Amino acid sequence: MDPITDLFLTTQVGSVVHARLEATAPWGLKREANAAEGTARDSAQPEISPLQLAHFGMVSRGNCWLSVEGIPDASPLAGGDCFLLAPGSSYTLRDNPRTRARSFCEVAPRDGSQVIHYGGGGRPYDHRFGLVSIRSDQRQNP
């Protein structure tokens, strides 16, 4: 069995918190492992710390750069690309590797909306992202 199939067969999603980013260039957002996440209080399981949740994302429209702490080079992402980062990961998404990034917490919607509007009015970008808790299935694989 390949590793990806094994992953999906042996894990269960415990909870998901998600949002949509509608950005225009220039834009940059970062998630620092030691920062508090405002979205955790809206989770179905509020007792779970955001540091215990994996981060996922999918680019719907446009292009961006993903920088992950501990990985030297940023990765280019385009429409249709997805990523999944381990719990506790610090990362940055931005339209250009040189664009200054603000914290996701600074731009999180405060009105109960799940859409973040952010940026400088240039090239459009659309991204779905969120947090997910993944529980390991306790069954033994053959």
Side-chain angles (χ1 to χ4, degrees), residues 36-98:
E37 293 268 358
T39 54
R41 70 175 172 272
D42 300 325
S43 171
Q45 297 180 8
E47 70 276 0
I48 297 175
S49 163
L51 296 175
Q52 297 172 302
L53 301 173
H55 290 251
F56 66 88
M58 181 189 83
V59 179
S60 302
R61 173 179 58 164
N63 300 298
C64 71
W65 292 86
L66 171 65
S67 301
V68 180
E69 186 176 288
I71 299 175
D73 297 323
S75 300
L77 300 176
D81 287 345
C82 300
F83 64 87
L84 177 65
L85 299 173
S89 297
S90 293
Y91 67 95
T92 304
L93 288 170
R94 55 185 132 207
D95 69 310
N96 182 301
R98 292 179 297 278

Side-chain angles (χ1 to χ4, degrees), residues 22-28 95 99 102 117-125:
E22 293 180 354
T24 54
W27 64 273
D95 69 310
T99 300
R102 293 177 61 188
H117 299 278
Y118 177 66
R123 225 176 33 253
Y125 170 83

